[in-house]
Amino acid sequence: MADVLPLVVLVLVVLGASTAALGIACATTAGVRAVRRFLFPRPRVRLHRVVPTPLRYVWVTCDTPRCGHLQTQHYPAGPGYVACHGCGTVRPRP
């Protein structure tokens, strides 16, 4: 039993020292990253672009296979005509 106590103390000291060393390494890495981010900031990237939509559009069934014969937004394309937002097909206004 007398030989085990110094071994347990040694293991605890080594574990404490390794924990302290790991903490110092993590703090140093975080500090370096913070300074680098402050000096060389990343450019801001816009993920979503806001596209203005026209005020007038109608939901009309598009008769093309590209749109799958579903109702899509059709925008004015001249007097009496509308253009499909999905495929661009121009047709008479319903």
Side-chain angles (χ1 to χ4, degrees):
M1 188 77 171
D3 295 335
V4 175
L5 186 60
L7 184 61
V8 169
V9 170
L10 179 65
V11 167
L12 289 176
V13 168
V14 168
L15 283 176
S18 63
T19 302
L22 185 62
I24 290 171
C26 288
T28 303
T29 303
V32 168
R33 286 184 177 180
V35 168
R36 190 180 69 193
R37 181 74 49 89
F38 180 74
L39 295 177
F40 305 106
R42 291 181 181 174
R44 293 189 178 258
V45 177
R46 288 190 164 186
L47 297 178
H48 301 288
R49 227 175 35 159
V50 177
V51 178
T53 56
L55 297 177
R56 297 181 320 216
Y57 61 88
V58 291
W59 288 90
V60 179
T61 302
C62 189
D63 295 329
T64 60
R66 181 174 178 186
C67 291
H69 303 286
L70 298 173
Q71 286 192 356
T72 57
Q73 294 177 357
H74 284 67
Y75 298 100
Y81 289 95
V82 290
C84 178
H85 177 69
C87 63
T89 303
V90 178
R91 59 179 286 181
R93 184 178 181 93

